[in-house]
Amino acid sequence: MTKIIFKETSMINPATFGYGMRAETVTALSNEHTEPFFVYDEQYIRDRCKLFMTMPNAYGIQPRFAMKANSLKAILQIIASEGMGIDASSLNEAKRAVMAGIEPSRIMLTTQEVPEGKARKELEHLLQRGMKYNVCSLTQLNKIAPLAAGKNLTLAMRVHPGVGSGESVTRNTGDKYSCFGVHLSDVPEAVSSAREQGIIIDTVHVHIGSGGDPAQWKENIYRELSFIEAWFPDAKTVNFGGGFRVARMGDETSADIQDLGMTAKEAVEEFYQRTGRKLRMEVEPGNAIMANAGYLVARVIDLKQTGPDGFRFVVLNGGMEVITRPLLYGARHPFTVINQSGQILFDDLKKNKAQDLEELIVVGRCCESGDSLTLDADHHIIPRLMTRPAVGDLFVVGGAGAYCSSMSLGNYNSHCLCAEYLVRPDGKPVCIRQEQNLEQLIQNELPVSGL
Ligand SMILES: *Cc1c(COP(=O)(O)O)cnc(C)c1O
């Protein structure tokens, strides 16, 4: 396939798929670069940030991007330029945000691990520069208190509400099977211990899970405000966490951000009427900003079948090592097939029943039978109804902007981390991360004498 052919087809086929990605952009990139690679849509990311920056609220809102969803510098810079803050899940994430030019005062660190040793100095430095620490356990409180007490630093506290909701059991962060935050039965002790150590808790945080039921997200608003009323007299900010459900597939439904915001606004106003306290609000979307902003582009490298009682398989040159969510969660992602003349042969989100559809299993290139993009939550292969592609066609996996690149299995089968591109608002793609090479993959290995 040459660039000339692409130019011809681009004139007759300016088609888009997913959330406005142009087939010709993807085809042009794949003419010059080997797959797999990720492509992100800058305008879409900006639009999603605006949705949260203008989410209904009573006395001010600060959305924080949960950067574990996607931690690339260019992505962080786009999101920060829209006014979003950062929710960091590790000290390294916080440092990465600072390296991307984001002020520590715009970052809150919510982590299971209080940095020790040399990293404790780095933490102290970031706290002095205004980063907020979100205390997640009694142990953490005692380790962090000396860094905050008498230094005019206030802390946040993550409360474990005892009730949560996630898109799968492993993404529920609020029930008794998950240990994030200070359990509400420990909160009175934590609060009095903080007070004794001269610590002011001015932010209360709850994050009930990822992609859970929006009705549960609403219920948490009332629950969290009741914790604040009962135990946190100094709280000025209520952080309701993230977890806004995002539809990747056509039969899924996204959480209604306006509706959730209206419920929060009314509840926070009502809290003011009851207590005389005006709370600022924070939310922490990750998926809801990035999920549908990104696409994984792979190529069909083989078509196989497993006999008369078996299945037909589409083999791609990228699977679990670049997109782990299907294997990890049974997550479904929409597929688009672009043929070698640049035409969209199949688009999951615009399923045309007139096409020849058949049940196909989509797999990656790793030597692992679980390396499939069509699995259910019990790790069973479930074929997907789609148009059969040809070897050499491009295979685009949508909904791949969050928890794909950042959560990839990296170097399994010694594959190198793939390149990532950003389509600018003018439609032009730029590389935001180069492909890793084999030398980089092995660079930290050391020789052992006598082998
Ligand atoms: C992961 C996480 C989020 C974001 O969850 P999404 O489902 O991506 O919105 C928000 N807050 C905290 C504390 C998290 O750990």
Side-chain angles (χ1 to χ4, degrees):
M1 191 172 24
T2 65
K3 276 188 222 167
I4 312 256
I5 291 174
F6 153 66
K7 276 180 187 150
E8 284 168 7
T9 55
S10 73
M11 283 183 278
I12 54 166
N13 181 29
T16 63
F17 60 92
Y19 289 81
M21 181 56 63
R22 293 169 76 90
E24 62 175 316
T25 305
V26 169
T27 309
L29 277 169
S30 73
N31 281 341
E32 290 179 33
H33 310 281
T34 37
E35 313 82 19
F37 53 80
F38 286 99
V39 191
Y40 304 100
D41 179 343
E42 178 175 340
Q43 192 56 53
Y44 182 86
I45 299 169
R46 292 192 180 280
D47 291 346
R48 297 302 291 180
C49 291
K50 290 188 174 84
L51 176 70
F52 283 95
M53 292 299 295
T54 59
M55 185 173 178
N57 66 84
Y59 310 112
I61 183 164
Q62 178 60 66
R64 298 181 179 278
F65 173 56
M67 68 175 279
K68 69 180 187 291
N70 192 312
S71 318
L72 293 175
K73 182 175 174 175
I75 302 289
L76 297 179
Q77 288 172 336
I78 292 167
I79 291 173
S81 77
E82 291 294 331
M84 304 262 300
I86 294 290
D87 157 43
S89 295
S90 68
L91 182 66
N92 271 3
E93 278 195 357
K95 284 165 67 180
R96 236 173 133 174
V98 172
M99 287 159 92
I102 298 170
E103 281 296 313
S105 59
R106 297 174 64 186
I107 303 170
M108 180 158 84
L109 176 59
T110 302
T111 172
Q112 289 280 70
E113 179 190 21
V114 179
E116 307 274 0
K118 171 175 163 276
R120 188 170 168 89
K121 278 264 161 274
E122 294 172 337
L123 172 69
E124 188 171 7
H125 188 56
L126 287 178
L127 293 178
Q128 276 158 6
R129 291 175 64 195
M131 183 176 75
K132 190 88 171 177
Y133 193 91
N134 192 11
V135 172
C136 292
S137 73
L138 289 162
T139 311
Q140 287 199 2
L141 176 64
N142 293 330
K143 288 188 174 175
I144 292 298
L147 300 183
K151 300 201 172 70
N152 226 358
L153 293 179
T154 57
L155 298 179
M157 187 174 289
R158 178 173 185 169
V159 177
H160 183 305
V163 191
S165 182
E167 206 169 351
S168 59
V169 281
T170 53
R171 280 173 290 173
N172 181 327
T173 55
D175 72 7
K176 67 176 180 181
Y177 297 99
S178 117
C179 68
F180 297 103
V182 179
H183 190 268
L184 63 147
S185 59
D186 284 334
V187 166
E189 186 189 336
V191 167
S192 64
S193 165
R195 194 169 299 130
E196 278 160 23
Q197 300 183 67
I199 299 294
I200 292 173
I201 307 286
D202 69 352
T203 299
V204 176
H205 170 274
V206 173
H207 170 68
I208 63 167
S210 187
D213 178 4
Q216 288 292 324
W217 203 92
K218 277 189 187 175
E219 273 187 31
N220 178 66
I221 294 171
Y222 304 107
R223 198 176 293 121
E224 190 172 347
L225 290 171
S226 75
F227 300 157
I228 293 181
E229 194 168 354
W231 293 311
F232 295 96
D234 301 320
K236 301 203 162 40
T237 300
V238 55
N239 184 317
F240 294 121
F244 305 98
R245 180 176 281 180
V246 173
R248 289 181 173 80
M249 300 296 291
D251 61 358
E252 296 171 344
T253 317
S254 294
D256 181 340
I257 306 305
Q258 289 298 113
D259 178 53
L260 295 178
M262 281 311 293
T263 304
K265 175 180 187 322
E266 281 161 23
V268 171
E269 280 167 356
E270 202 247 340
F271 182 88
Y272 167 64
Q273 271 141 33
R274 204 167 61 237
T275 65
R277 297 167 62 188
K278 289 186 176 173
L279 299 176
R280 213 175 63 112
M281 167 173 150
E282 293 185 350
V283 289
E284 298 172 333
N287 260 312
I289 300 290
M290 283 305 296
N292 288 322
Y295 304 81
L296 174 71
V297 181
R299 197 173 286 276
V300 178
I301 54 170
D302 211 340
L303 293 170
K304 299 170 123 178
Q305 51 92 28
T306 48
D309 301 327
F311 297 100
R312 281 194 178 277
F313 290 74
V314 177
V315 187
L316 307 180
N317 59 358
M320 67 189 277
E321 83 282 16
V322 272
I323 181 165
T324 312
R325 298 182 78 255
L327 178 61
L328 193 60
Y329 304 132
R332 291 182 302 150
H333 287 256
F335 302 148
T336 303
V337 176
I338 302 172
N339 70 16
Q340 288 164 81
S341 40
Q343 263 139 359
I344 297 174
L345 193 66
F346 173 78
D347 181 357
D348 241 328
L349 297 180
K350 299 185 196 117
K351 212 169 273 178
N352 175 359
K353 296 292 176 202
Q355 287 171 310
D356 293 331
L357 300 178
E358 63 181 302
E359 302 244 282
L360 298 170
I361 292 175
V362 182
V363 299
R365 58 184 168 172
C366 289
C367 192
E368 182 88 21
S369 57
D371 183 10
S372 171
L373 300 186
T374 48
L375 292 154
D376 68 14
D378 297 322
H379 306 282
H380 292 136
I381 299 284
I382 39 164
R384 187 81 76 77
L385 203 58
M386 59 179 297
T387 304
R388 193 195 302 183
V391 172
D393 286 354
L394 287 180
F395 195 103
V396 185
V397 183
Y403 305 103
C404 290
S405 162
S406 66
M407 208 188 219
S408 80
L409 296 176
N411 298 132
Y412 188 48
N413 277 205
S414 292
H415 292 304
C416 294
L417 298 179
C418 69
E420 315 205 30
Y421 298 90
L422 176 74
V423 179
R424 305 298 318 265
D426 66 4
K428 295 210 177 73
V430 293
C431 185
I432 56 172
R433 191 177 73 162
Q434 289 181 324
E435 189 186 359
Q436 185 186 35
N437 61 39
L438 197 53
E439 287 69 41
Q440 291 169 328
L441 190 154
I442 61 170
Q443 70 188 358
N444 290 343
E445 294 183 32
L446 297 174
V448 175
S449 64
L451 289 182

